Amino acid sequence: MAKNRVKIEDISKPSEKLTHLDIDEMMPLPPPYDKIEEQPGWKKLSDDAIENLETSLDDTIAIGIPKPKNEEEEKELVEKFLRGLEKLLQKENNWTFLQPLLLSLEHCAKCQTCTKACPIYEASGKQDVYRPTFRSEVWRRIVHKYLKPGGKFFGRLSHGDIDLNWTTVARLMELSYRCTLCRRCAQTCPIGIDNGLITHELRKVFSQEMGIAPKEIHEKGSVLQLEVGSSTGMNAEVVKDNIDFIDEDMQDLTGIEVHTPWDKKGADLLLIHNAGEILAWPENPGAFAIILEKAGIDWTLSSDIAAYDGINYGLWYDDFQLGKVAIKHAEAAKNLGVNRIVVGECGHAHKALTVIADRVLTGDFNIPRVSAMTLLEEIVFSGKIKFDPSKNDFPVTLHDPCNMVRLMGIVEPQRRILRYLCPQFREMTPHGVNNYCCGGGSGFAIMSGHNFQDWRLAVSGRMKLKQIVEAFDDHPEPETNKYLCAPCSNCKGQLRDLFRYYGVREKSGIIYGGLVELIVNAMVDIKQPFINFDEMQ
Amino acid sequence: MSVIQILIYVAALVFLVTNITRFVRMASTPIHLRWELYPVAHDVKRYKYGGSFLEEADWYTKKLHKSKLGEMRVMLPEILLMKGVWEYNRSLWLWSFLFHIGLYLLSGLIIVLLLGGIIIGPNIFYGYDSLSIIGQIIYNLSYAMLIAGCAIGTIGTLGLIIKRMSDHEMSVSSTFGSFFNLYFIAAIFISGLVFFFSGNPVEKLITFYYSLITFQAMPNLGAAFAVHAVISGLFLLYLPFTHMTHFFMKYFTYHKVRWEDSPNVRGSKLEKRIQEQLSYPVSWSAPHIGADGKKNWADIATEEGENGKE
């Protein structure tokens, strides 16, 4: 339990750090990860970072906000922030989320039911600043004091006092990147207040008004995707070459001839992968290609800008970037004349294109979007492919990506496949819509600047690690191979780093991977195991 | 006409007008992007495990069925039993439950007393035995609701005050307003108890409601009644301007956000509204958006090139 206590109004008071993190105050981990001296901890911020960047929130930085040069610049930034908050409450500038935001502004009863649901707050040892309501309260107090008539008196009286200065803004900016937007807190709120939404909207103010966002999700993320085609930096030619290599590898590995189709006009479906899979986990798009080929599906990939990469980082911080990428995805499908878009194993891509963009894409752009989970379920139970579940006779558990499960309700298709193909499938606790985030949600999995990676592994990924280890507590020995199925590219990125950080492969014998790999591994036609426990991490 | 009567008329009017205005304003905000959270109650088939229509590969070929009964099945235990608090914040539940039951009973009492004012009216002066069966039911119900509501509410409110003071997470986020609201409500319950024990409470209440309904002057009903009525009237005036309007705003947080999963269908009314909203002008200042106060959402989202510029 955290020793230092922080009040909401403390956010405005300049100090070296608002809070400090100690591993021995954090939520304990199960064996063999329970020895504090063996936990990696995190690197200290460099002197250069401390001197030049805003580092006064906690022991890490997600954005790396340059310190303003003088008071004038500070005032200007504070003023900009306030103007952004105003725009957040205008229908013209924020019709996208105005109603849920107003509801969350006005009706919180401060009962703190949500705090118990937050894995970051719990894992950190209940650090006050990570409480889901902390940043929400700061925002409410600013709005009521500075934007409402008579706020200096009534706002302060009924909602609590706060001073709006550069320290407040800089800390709030960083604090908006200490929440994974998993919305577990919102799910438990008896009134329906959504602290995840408030975090999301704060990020929008920083991006849309002040032009400030972590470079991994803006500059090297959505901007790169719109310019080059993918946040991986791959242009159309490079991605096609890579897919060719993957097709060849798949043929060598499985003996099944695979030719991934590109830009096939009139195909039944356009498959959109997270392009990160192609570089980091090529067996995933490879397994997809094998399954679709064997099932006789009429499918294609698109080489149009942004359409071979399903990511849409705008979902986490910027409505306009979100809209631009969603339109590119829909445009590619329209150009090809496909009947539907199928989103591969990527949770946020699922939600961005299927649910969020549903009220952005109109007319010809409104092409049906479906989850790969449902397509795979249809294929697996269609009888078109023969399976031998005994090939998957090792302990398997499932990680539920928040975006796909809690926020879209796609819960059972992947489970029905696992129950059929994996004799030793077991659930985590809790699971389904009550799952815990991997700790890499809302862009964290790709954010590793300074020592932020250490923070997301030691703090935001802590609850997930506990859950994973406990799901296999009947086989704690590393000699027994175990598989964590995570049908989401972003979650896999976090799990890769989490497993390396704690030595999970070595200490517990657990590897992680997607759903399609398990499906292919169980195919009768595959002579060699598709999942190689010795090679996979 | 007494000051108390005027206060109650004004309070009731402000309460109704302000709450209706707030409801209408919230209802007329633009359609927002989908932001649902599962489980969604109107999907009866899948509610138990939190599934959605998106679990079907051909969902877009089917008509979405929303079960009102399914929503009621979830909302009623939530409103009456504080199911969410029970599930996720057990240590708060008892106090919250008693507090809300107290409020429900006193709110229900208003309706019963309005009926009493109409049905019993001046007959209350002739004694209990002179009342019709319905009159006697109203009398007994009022009696029970008043004492039960005030007693249960007092326990709940005091429990909430102590919990808010002693629980670290609640105390650090509490403001003057948080405690003020609880003390205010505690004053209603406690003054109600004092009034109850001051003698003939139902007779006095029915007399008062009769005078309100008929716009007649009210007799002197004693100091205990006056204190309770003034506190209650002031609370009615105050409530519409606080977070406590969540008692009806929950309609929006649940039905219009958490459970709002209507897909956008080509040619639908929903699509028309979205298209209209996509034409709203944008004035966000960050350079990558390229807004100028004239370009609209659709213009910006479909522009080519870095920072939204050619």
Side-chain angles (χ1 to χ4, degrees):
Chain A
M1 180 97 172
K3 287 184 199 99
N4 55 323
R5 289 307 187 191
V6 184
K7 290 182 189 158
I8 288 155
E9 54 269 31
D10 292 343
I11 197 168
S12 314
K13 298 170 187 164
S15 63
E16 194 186 330
K17 295 256 181 273
L18 188 59
T19 199
H20 170 69
L21 301 169
D22 268 325
I23 289 186
D24 54 6
E25 290 178 353
M26 289 183 190
M27 182 191 75
L29 288 172
Y33 308 95
D34 51 340
K35 296 176 191 70
I36 288 167
E37 62 278 10
E38 288 179 16
Q39 289 179 30
W42 54 84
K43 293 186 290 287
K44 282 191 171 171
L45 288 169
S46 68
D47 291 341
D48 185 46
I50 291 168
E51 197 183 322
N52 297 308
L53 304 173
E54 290 295 343
T55 59
S56 72
L57 176 70
D58 51 9
D59 294 321
T60 188
I61 43 175
I63 310 174
I65 313 150
K67 283 183 178 164
K69 294 180 191 75
N70 48 46
E71 258 183 55
E72 208 147 281
E73 201 181 322
E74 281 185 7
K75 271 186 192 163
E76 200 181 308
L77 286 163
V78 172
E79 196 46 48
K80 249 187 175 182
F81 171 70
L82 206 53
R83 279 205 306 271
L85 285 189
E86 258 176 326
K87 288 175 189 173
L88 217 49
L89 301 174
Q90 295 167 349
K91 74 170 189 177
E92 289 80 7
N93 278 308
N94 200 29
W95 64 268
T96 47
F97 289 98
L98 184 64
Q99 188 183 61
L101 188 65
L102 289 174
L103 290 165
S104 288
L105 171 67
E106 303 285 356
H107 302 102
C108 175
K110 301 181 175 66
C111 69
Q112 307 302 323
T113 301
C114 53
T115 59
K116 291 156 185 69
C118 175
I120 293 180
Y121 175 65
E122 289 289 325
S124 71
K126 302 181 192 286
Q127 287 280 348
D128 283 324
V129 299
Y130 299 152
R131 205 173 53 237
T133 53
F134 191 94
R135 65 182 76 74
S136 307
E137 273 306 305
V138 172
W139 168 69
R140 279 191 198 101
R141 288 186 185 195
I142 295 171
V143 170
H144 285 291
K145 182 174 172 183
Y146 292 93
L147 295 180
K148 299 274 179 181
K152 292 262 160 65
F153 178 72
F154 291 111
R156 196 158 56 179
L157 204 61
S158 60
H159 296 278
D161 197 14
I162 196 141
D163 284 329
L164 181 58
N165 53 32
W166 172 242
T167 304
T168 314
V169 176
R171 282 174 173 163
L172 194 56
M173 214 181 281
E174 273 293 330
L175 197 51
S176 69
Y177 288 90
R178 299 294 186 278
C179 161
T180 62
L181 308 183
C182 79
R183 295 177 67 211
R184 209 169 180 272
C185 55
Q187 197 183 34
T188 64
C189 178
I191 295 172
I193 305 303
D194 194 337
N195 294 296
L197 172 74
I198 293 169
T199 307
H200 177 262
E201 298 297 287
L202 281 169
R203 289 184 181 189
K204 275 165 51 180
V205 171
F206 300 128
S207 176
Q208 296 175 184
E209 185 67 15
M210 303 171 77
I212 298 174
K215 63 177 184 302
E216 293 95 333
I217 63 174
H218 183 65
E219 198 183 317
K220 294 180 178 176
S222 61
V223 170
L224 192 61
Q225 185 183 18
L226 288 164
E227 270 177 20
V228 178
S230 165
S231 66
T232 59
M234 288 189 290
N235 62 26
E237 290 312 306
V238 175
V239 78
K240 280 182 177 177
D241 280 349
N242 278 321
I243 289 286
D244 279 349
F245 289 132
I246 292 171
D247 285 349
E248 284 169 25
D249 283 350
M250 290 302 111
Q251 191 167 341
D252 292 345
L253 184 64
T254 64
I256 295 173
E257 202 172 319
V258 179
H259 294 290
T260 295
W262 282 97
D263 303 318
K264 187 179 165 192
K265 293 254 180 197
D268 177 38
L269 65 91
L270 165 66
L271 176 64
I272 306 187
H273 289 297
N274 176 323
E277 300 276 358
I278 296 163
L279 295 180
W281 303 282
E283 63 279 2
N284 185 280
F288 260 106
I290 291 169
I291 294 165
L292 297 179
E293 289 285 307
K294 290 295 283 182
I297 303 289
D298 181 16
W299 67 293
T300 185
L301 298 184
S302 167
S303 64
D304 282 0
I305 287 268
Y308 51 89
D309 194 348
I311 65 149
N312 194 339
Y313 294 167
L315 177 71
W316 303 320
Y317 77 105
D318 193 304
D319 285 348
F320 297 91
Q321 297 297 90
L322 170 99
K324 285 176 187 178
V325 171
I327 285 170
K328 289 282 177 200
H329 287 152
E331 201 170 34
K334 187 183 145 199
N335 291 343
L336 289 171
V338 297
N339 297 319
R340 53 187 168 152
I341 300 172
V342 173
V343 186
E345 292 191 10
C346 178
H348 91 274
H350 262 75
K351 190 176 134 203
L353 192 56
T354 314
V355 173
I356 304 292
D358 192 43
R359 293 182 182 172
V360 174
L361 304 173
T362 59
D364 292 351
F365 284 152
N366 190 355
I367 294 158
R369 286 92 58 201
V370 299
S371 165
M373 301 297 109
T374 59
L375 177 69
L376 291 169
E377 185 192 14
E378 271 193 352
I379 293 172
V380 166
F381 292 99
S382 68
K384 288 177 182 168
I385 301 173
K386 282 190 179 157
F387 295 103
D388 175 5
S390 69
K391 290 182 162 192
N392 282 341
D393 195 10
F394 41 80
V396 174
T397 193
L398 174 68
H399 163 65
D400 288 299
C402 302
N403 282 306
M404 194 187 286
V405 181
R406 179 166 33 255
L407 309 181
M408 285 182 76
I410 300 174
V411 186
E412 273 296 308
Q414 58 273 39
R415 285 182 159 72
R416 283 192 278 264
I417 294 171
L418 290 175
R419 286 196 284 264
Y420 170 44
L421 294 181
C422 303
Q424 295 191 52
F425 171 63
R426 77 277 311 280
E427 293 281 11
M428 288 185 195
T429 306
H431 59 265
V433 292
N434 299 314
N435 73 313
Y436 282 115
C437 172
C438 64
S442 81
F444 287 7
I446 52 162
M447 288 162 56
S448 297
H450 303 279
N451 62 357
F452 189 72
Q453 176 167 304
D454 292 346
W455 182 88
R456 72 172 157 89
L457 302 176
V459 182
S460 68
R462 198 172 190 84
M463 189 65 87
K464 193 81 239 174
L465 176 70
K466 182 171 180 281
Q467 262 197 304
I468 295 165
V469 174
E470 288 174 350
F472 294 119
D473 61 6
D474 57 335
H475 285 290
E477 68 286 350
E479 296 77 23
T480 300
N481 289 324
K482 297 169 274 279
Y483 190 94
L484 166 63
C485 175
C488 169
S489 189
N490 197 63
C491 299
K492 283 193 296 192
Q494 166 76 355
L495 293 167
R496 173 190 57 204
D497 297 341
L498 197 67
F499 279 25
R500 281 183 192 155
Y501 187 75
Y502 289 101
V504 174
R505 175 74 184 94
E506 298 77 27
K507 288 180 181 169
S508 301
I510 308 170
I511 64 167
Y512 70 90
L515 178 65
V516 281
E517 292 89 322
L518 281 167
I519 296 173
V520 173
N521 199 56
M523 283 168 62
V524 170
D525 287 353
I526 307 291
K527 302 302 171 205
Q528 300 291 323
F530 189 76
I531 294 174
N532 186 329
F533 281 91
D534 295 326
E535 284 179 15
M536 293 173 83
Q537 290 185 352
Chain B
M1 196 158 284
S2 74
V3 174
I4 294 175
Q5 283 173 300
I6 293 168
L7 171 68
I8 298 297
Y9 284 133
V10 172
L13 192 68
V14 170
F15 181 86
L16 284 175
V17 170
T18 312
N19 282 336
I20 290 169
T21 307
R22 287 189 72 166
F23 188 91
V24 170
R25 277 170 65 183
M26 188 54 73
S28 49
T29 50
I31 285 276
H32 55 83
L33 298 186
R34 274 170 63 187
W35 197 245
E36 66 256 35
L37 261 178
Y38 290 85
V40 165
H42 54 241
D43 194 335
V44 178
K45 201 168 78 179
R46 304 180 185 93
Y47 177 76
K48 205 173 174 185
Y49 67 88
S52 76
F53 62 86
L54 294 168
E55 288 190 333
E56 294 176 34
D58 57 349
W59 64 263
Y60 51 90
T61 63
K62 298 172 181 172
K63 200 168 183 292
L64 178 64
H65 174 66
K66 293 186 177 186
S67 164
K68 291 269 180 259
L69 193 65
E71 294 190 355
M72 292 290 280
R73 264 189 218 143
V74 176
M75 278 319 286
L76 283 178
E78 176 55 42
I79 293 167
L80 297 176
L81 303 173
M82 311 287 118
K83 192 163 176 276
V85 184
W86 170 261
E87 281 179 13
Y88 301 113
N89 197 356
R90 196 68 58 90
S91 68
L92 185 69
W93 179 80
L94 180 63
W95 312 122
S96 179
F97 175 69
L98 295 177
F99 170 85
H100 283 94
I101 291 296
L103 288 175
Y104 295 162
L105 284 169
L106 290 197
S107 307
L109 180 60
I110 295 173
I111 296 163
V112 174
L113 288 170
L114 281 171
L115 282 175
I118 296 165
I119 294 169
I120 302 174
N123 291 334
I124 196 71
F125 298 120
Y126 303 111
Y128 177 81
D129 291 338
S130 71
L131 302 179
S132 66
I133 300 278
I134 294 173
Q136 290 183 354
I137 290 171
I138 289 172
Y139 184 97
N140 289 323
L141 200 57
S142 304
Y143 195 85
M145 286 172 88
L146 178 64
I147 181 63
C150 291
I152 292 171
T154 300
I155 297 168
T157 314
L158 295 179
L160 283 181
I161 292 169
I162 294 166
K163 177 82 176 158
R164 191 166 278 285
M165 284 172 168
S166 58
D167 181 291
H168 168 75
E169 283 155 358
M170 288 181 84
S171 69
V172 289
S173 63
S174 294
T175 60
F176 171 80
S178 316
F179 285 106
F180 179 78
N181 295 343
L182 286 173
Y183 291 135
F184 206 158
I185 296 169
I188 296 173
F189 288 134
I190 293 168
S191 65
L193 279 178
V194 173
F195 164 63
F196 180 84
F197 290 110
S198 70
N200 301 324
V202 176
E203 285 80 354
K204 289 174 185 169
L205 284 172
I206 289 181
T207 303
F208 178 64
Y209 272 74
Y210 178 70
S211 76
L212 285 179
I213 294 164
T214 56
F215 297 97
Q216 289 178 8
M218 60 176 274
N220 182 356
L221 298 172
F225 170 79
V227 170
H228 179 62
V230 168
I231 295 173
S232 303
L234 291 175
F235 185 73
L236 272 188
L237 272 175
Y238 171 68
L239 186 144
F241 304 98
T242 70
H243 79 270
M244 289 180 276
T245 47
H246 67 240
F247 76 88
F248 67 87
M249 285 295 186
K250 238 172 150 166
Y251 167 78
F252 293 102
T253 56
Y254 277 73
H255 296 262
K256 295 295 175 188
V257 181
R258 190 182 280 195
W259 297 340
E260 174 40 39
D261 61 350
S262 310
N264 173 24
V265 177
R266 280 194 211 180
S268 62
K269 278 185 192 167
L270 176 62
E271 186 183 61
K272 269 187 196 152
R273 282 189 69 177
I274 295 165
Q275 283 167 337
E276 196 185 302
Q277 291 170 193
L278 284 167
S279 69
Y280 286 167
V282 176
S283 61
W284 289 99
S285 301
H288 70 272
I289 293 176
D292 55 8
K294 287 177 194 154
K295 282 189 217 166
N296 62 35
W297 284 74
D299 297 334
I300 292 169
T302 52
E303 270 177 339
E304 294 291 335
E306 193 188 359
N307 297 338
K309 288 169 190 162
E310 293 290 338

